[in-house]
Amino acid sequence: MKYIVVTGGVVSGLGKGVTISSMGRMLQGCGLRVTSIKIDPYLNVDAGTMSPFEHGETYVLNDGGETDLDLGNYERFLSISLTSDHNITTGKVYRKVIGKERRGDYLGKTVQVVPHITNEIQDWIEEVAYVPVDDQGNRHWDAVDENGVNAATPSSADEKDVRVADVCLIEVGGTVGDIESSVFLEALRQFQFRVGPSNFCLTFVSLVPIMGEEQKTKPTQHGVRDLRSVGLSPTVIFCRCREVLEESTKNKIASFCHVDGPSCVLSVHDVSNVYHVPLLLLEQKLHRILAEKLQLSNIPQLEGRLDLTMNGLEEKATMWNLCEGSVANEKVLAMLASGQEDLDTLGGISRSMIDWARMAFKLDGFKESVKIVIVGKYTGLQDSYLSVIKSLKHASMAVERKLDLIWVEAGHLENDFESDSGGENEYKAAWNKMKSADGVVVPGGFGTRGFNGKVAAAKFCRENTVPYLGICLGFQAMVVEYSRNMLGWEDANSTEFEEETKNPVVIFMPEIDKENMGGTMRLGSRNTAFTHSTHDDGSPSIAQIMYKNAAVVSERHRHRYEVNPERVNAIHDAGLKFVGRDETGTRMEIAELPRSKHPYYVGCQYHPEFKSRPLNPSPPFHGLLLAACDMIDEYTSNSK
């Protein structure tokens, strides 16, 4: 196993997650299998109880792990499925060590940060690195055999069934010098000797600010100095900058930061979209640097699979002139347009990378736009809806439209906000945005604030045939709205917001512990069966069409409340069809109106945004964008 660690300095939020994901995508293009680990130094066990305003969205994994949003970046870029163990937090590590101490596993020894905490971190990394993360499942075996020797292959699994990664990417959250991350840096200092220098590569992401017209290197110098003071020295330095890094800047950083020449100082400057970053790293030959440092060419298992030229893609990178700032010039865009003849021209480039390059360049060339409104509760921090935003972008790429994202605070749509809060201007502005929308997304959330605004949004879209996608709480909002206005249950509500309502159409899940918040929701992947594939008018379910007519789909969940089974038949018979249900038939998963009533009015209890990928958009989001662009009829006719 080879390990590549990404650390950061100067300031947080430089894009370590995008950098490590792009590096992984580039290595996949070379034929390598990759996995990824995120280290978060906070004391929380996981991100499940963190405020979206403070931490951004909580990303949910297949196994129900509630993690940092960076794991979403890894999964989207690398098309892998991680587990909760791939997110290491201080809280998890200390809880595990204290548990061992209470059981007497340390045989009466004094338990200390060094070696017990640092050893636990190293053991965790080494074990999780061997968990297969491809689409064939998260099967697992011990990284160390009974003799204490690293196991290079599974002892009791078919190699065709499970495949261990070749490279493990590790991101250390925060910045070098933070008190809370010091124990992890010490563990990694020790880890480099445990696995050996040819199996360990440290990289560093830093900021190169521009003051006047000069690129300043002092922040990077100080950051690397702090890193070296704890016994770690980077092989590669990624320099985030508004502009392309000048050669003089590279030379100065290489000279003062103890790296092997300016070729190891990489410019990660602003580009038109993040999907250019793997190509940016490729152009600067990062794959060659890593191959030399990790001695990839000397691994017998990689023979016949490792291809550092990427079937000719490496030679084509220089003609893109990414480092000259001319991203998506017409010549490159035309070359990557589509068609087998273009692939022949490029010398048989692997499909994964040519599709990625085509996507990156085509995205810059879209002329027409589509307006999508997000009606949310946490619009003050867009990272709260990062996966929703990414899913909309993936879907907009599939319909070849530029995404024009419009934010509406849910509370501003409520009548009470206009009359009681004196927010007439905000109220009018919010509704003007709604009226300009080509499509509307109402994502999940918790708490009563803004819920009636989401209900109002669902009503507006239903009555005005505006394409609508409701997710989790947005799904519940459309059920409440339909119950109030079509069934005449004026006080219909969720018991989350009104426990004494006479018409509880959304109720608390009975098997969940109401007292404890963390890890108590219905979490992770669950199956949804399409139980009502055909509507009363004979038309097929639009949701099932978008899922390519699959009978059962698996999506990720994160909720405590669900549609009341006792009210399902009345709502279903009134016209809002529950076409997807869990395998017991008691939990409602997908609701929609027939297309004879509405072009696209769909809600789902689960979170489809967590499984969306750049080259494989989430079906519900894809359907929304098709409807918003008036393409849904053509799509459905071609799907028959």
Side-chain angles (χ1 to χ4, degrees):
M1 180 66 67
K2 306 293 184 179
Y3 298 90
I4 302 175
V5 179
V6 176
T7 58
V10 187
V11 294
S12 59
L14 284 177
K16 293 193 299 294
V18 172
T19 302
I20 196 172
S21 301
S22 300
M23 193 188 325
R25 186 69 194 184
M26 180 195 65
L27 293 173
Q28 285 179 331
C30 295
L32 298 170
R33 302 179 188 126
V34 300
T35 185
S36 193
I37 295 173
K38 173 66 187 299
I39 293 174
D40 283 308
Y42 46 68
L43 280 170
N44 304 65
V45 172
D46 59 36
T49 58
M50 289 184 174
S51 166
F53 286 117
E54 180 177 335
H55 192 70
E57 81 170 357
T58 298
Y59 188 81
V60 179
L61 302 169
N62 276 341
D63 65 357
E66 297 174 285
T67 67
D68 183 85
L69 54 82
D70 277 316
L71 275 79
N73 281 328
Y74 308 156
E75 289 200 341
R76 283 187 288 269
F77 265 69
L78 305 177
S79 295
I80 58 178
S81 296
L82 301 172
T83 71
S84 57
D85 286 341
H86 287 86
N87 188 199
I88 305 175
T89 69
T90 301
K92 284 182 180 179
V93 173
Y94 273 79
R95 183 174 67 175
K96 193 169 183 179
V97 170
I98 290 172
K100 288 182 177 181
E101 186 273 332
R102 293 289 85 188
R103 290 194 305 269
D105 292 0
Y106 297 114
L107 302 176
K109 291 182 179 179
T110 301
V111 180
Q112 298 175 296
V113 172
V114 179
H116 299 96
I117 295 294
T118 53
N119 284 346
E120 188 64 48
I121 293 169
Q122 294 176 73
D123 293 342
W124 195 312
I125 290 172
E126 204 160 21
E127 183 175 351
V128 171
Y130 282 84
V131 177
V133 295
D134 60 15
D135 292 336
Q136 299 181 38
N138 294 319
R139 299 250 327 253
H140 165 65
W141 55 86
D142 291 335
V144 179
D145 63 20
E146 64 274 9
N147 299 317
V149 179
N150 287 343
T153 57
S155 57
S156 59
D158 186 348
E159 175 66 23
K160 294 181 180 179
D161 183 34
V162 289
R163 299 186 298 177
V164 178
D166 305 304
V167 178
C168 178
L169 306 168
I170 304 169
E171 178 187 350
V172 182
T175 59
V176 174
D178 293 343
I179 294 175
E180 57 265 30
S181 63
S182 59
V183 64
F184 291 102
L185 294 177
E186 170 59 22
L188 290 169
R189 185 194 67 79
Q190 299 174 21
F191 190 67
Q192 65 184 330
F193 301 112
R194 178 192 283 205
V195 299
S198 64
N199 296 317
F200 184 90
C201 179
L202 183 74
T203 67
F204 184 72
V205 180
S206 185
L207 176 68
V208 176
I210 298 176
M211 302 187 69
E213 296 182 357
E214 183 181 359
Q215 295 178 345
K216 294 293 186 180
T217 64
K218 273 294 187 288
T220 302
Q221 294 180 45
H222 286 288
V224 173
R225 183 188 63 188
D226 291 342
L227 189 61
R228 295 184 66 196
S229 71
V230 298
L232 293 166
S233 186
T235 300
V236 177
I237 299 175
F238 299 101
C239 295
R240 287 287 292 114
C241 188
R242 293 201 315 269
E243 301 174 358
V244 180
L245 217 60
E246 298 170 357
E247 284 302 316
S248 60
T249 305
K250 288 186 176 183
N251 288 327
K252 190 171 183 179
I253 291 174
S255 176
F256 282 93
C257 296
H258 198 63
V259 295
D260 190 16
S263 63
C264 294
V265 180
L266 273 58
S267 174
V268 187
H269 49 272
D270 292 351
V271 289
S272 54
N273 66 71
V274 294
Y275 305 115
H276 282 290
V277 180
L279 307 177
L280 197 64
L281 302 180
L282 167 65
E283 185 194 10
Q284 298 174 81
K285 300 192 182 303
L286 174 63
H287 59 303
R288 294 280 179 182
I289 298 170
L290 297 177
E292 181 179 354
K293 165 64 177 171
L294 299 174
Q295 300 179 15
L296 297 178
S297 300
N298 298 334
I299 303 175
Q301 294 91 330
L302 295 181
E303 186 175 352
R305 182 152 56 87
L306 179 65
D307 178 16
L308 296 178
T309 71
M310 300 187 207
N311 290 327
L313 185 62
E314 181 186 43
E315 285 76 14
K316 301 294 178 181
T318 54
M319 72 174 290
W320 295 338
N321 296 320
L322 290 175
C323 277
E324 301 303 321
S326 57
V327 176
N329 61 68
E330 293 183 3
K331 182 178 179 181
V332 174
L333 190 57
M335 182 185 71
L336 293 171
S338 62
Q340 187 60 43
E341 64 278 9
D342 295 322
L343 297 182
D344 294 338
T345 302
L346 290 170
I349 294 173
S350 63
R351 286 299 306 175
S352 63
M353 287 306 291
I354 188 60
D355 285 346
W356 188 274
R358 179 181 294 131
M359 172 191 68
F361 282 101
K362 283 184 69 176
L363 182 57
D364 297 323
F366 295 153
K367 303 299 182 185
E368 298 181 63
S369 62
V370 56
K371 288 184 179 181
I372 301 296
V373 165
I374 295 181
V375 180
K377 296 178 57 174
Y378 317 114
T379 57
L381 180 63
Q382 295 185 9
D383 274 358
S384 301
Y385 300 109
L386 183 62
S387 290
V388 172
I389 296 170
K390 296 296 184 182
S391 298
L392 288 169
K393 288 184 177 179
H394 301 163
S396 69
M397 288 188 286
V399 299
E400 300 188 352
R401 292 290 188 275
K402 188 185 301 182
L403 181 64
D404 184 4
L405 209 54
I406 301 172
W407 294 90
V408 171
E409 179 67 34
H412 293 177
L413 297 174
E414 298 176 358
N415 291 330
D416 291 344
F417 180 81
E418 179 187 28
S419 57
D420 298 342
S421 304
E424 295 88 351
N425 292 335
E426 291 89 343
Y427 178 83
K428 291 178 181 177
W431 278 109
N432 285 336
K433 291 177 181 178
M434 289 291 294
K435 293 171 184 177
S436 71
D438 297 317
V440 173
V441 176
V442 179
F446 296 93
T448 185
R449 182 181 61 83
F451 179 69
N452 284 329
K454 295 191 174 192
V455 172
K459 179 183 180 184
F460 172 82
C461 292
R462 180 179 61 80
E463 293 180 341
N464 294 277
T465 62
V466 176
Y468 175 95
L469 175 60
I471 300 169
C472 196
L473 188 61
F475 163 76
Q476 296 171 9
M478 64 189 283
V479 172
V480 169
E481 186 279 323
Y482 203 85
S483 300
R484 289 177 181 176
N485 296 301
M486 299 303 291
L487 281 84
W489 300 342
E490 294 183 359
D491 68 337
N493 212 334
S494 167
T495 57
E496 180 181 3
F497 312 127
E498 188 179 349
E499 290 189 5
E500 304 303 322
T501 177
K502 296 179 180 178
N503 289 289
V505 294
V506 177
I507 62 170
F508 181 70
M509 295 173 62
E511 74 271 26
I512 300 300
D513 180 1
K514 202 169 185 177
E515 298 301 321
N516 295 308
M517 299 294 287
T520 59
M521 290 183 279
R522 189 172 188 236
L523 290 163
S525 283
R526 301 287 192 277
N527 287 340
T528 295
F530 285 97
T531 56
H532 296 72
S533 299
T534 305
H535 293 297
D536 297 339
D537 59 6
S539 63
S541 162
I542 184 60
Q544 189 170 21
I545 289 175
M546 295 312 304
Y547 279 102
K548 302 186 185 303
N549 295 310
V552 178
V553 297
S554 178
E555 294 280 8
R556 300 176 186 178
H557 294 65
R558 186 175 186 253
H559 65 276
R560 292 187 177 91
Y561 290 77
E562 64 180 304
V563 176
N564 187 347
E566 296 180 1
R567 302 299 178 107
V568 165
N569 289 339
I571 299 171
H572 184 89
D573 293 341
L576 183 62
K577 302 299 183 180
F578 294 106
V579 298
R581 310 184 183 196
D582 80 328
E583 293 170 321
T584 68
T586 58
R587 299 175 185 267
M588 301 303 107
E589 297 283 5
I590 305 173
E592 66 179 44
L593 288 178
R595 295 202 60 239
S596 58
K597 303 291 186 182
H598 198 288
Y600 193 84
Y601 193 75
V602 176
C604 46
Q605 182 62 72
Y606 52 78
H607 290 265
E609 67 269 26
F610 294 140
K611 286 194 172 182
S612 185
R613 304 291 183 260
L615 296 172
N616 186 22
S618 166
F621 284 92
H622 190 194
L624 176 72
L625 268 291
L626 286 169
C629 297
D630 294 324
M631 298 179 179
I632 194 77
D633 290 333
E634 179 182 358
Y635 183 89
T636 54
S637 63
N638 293 335
S639 300
K640 293 180 181 179

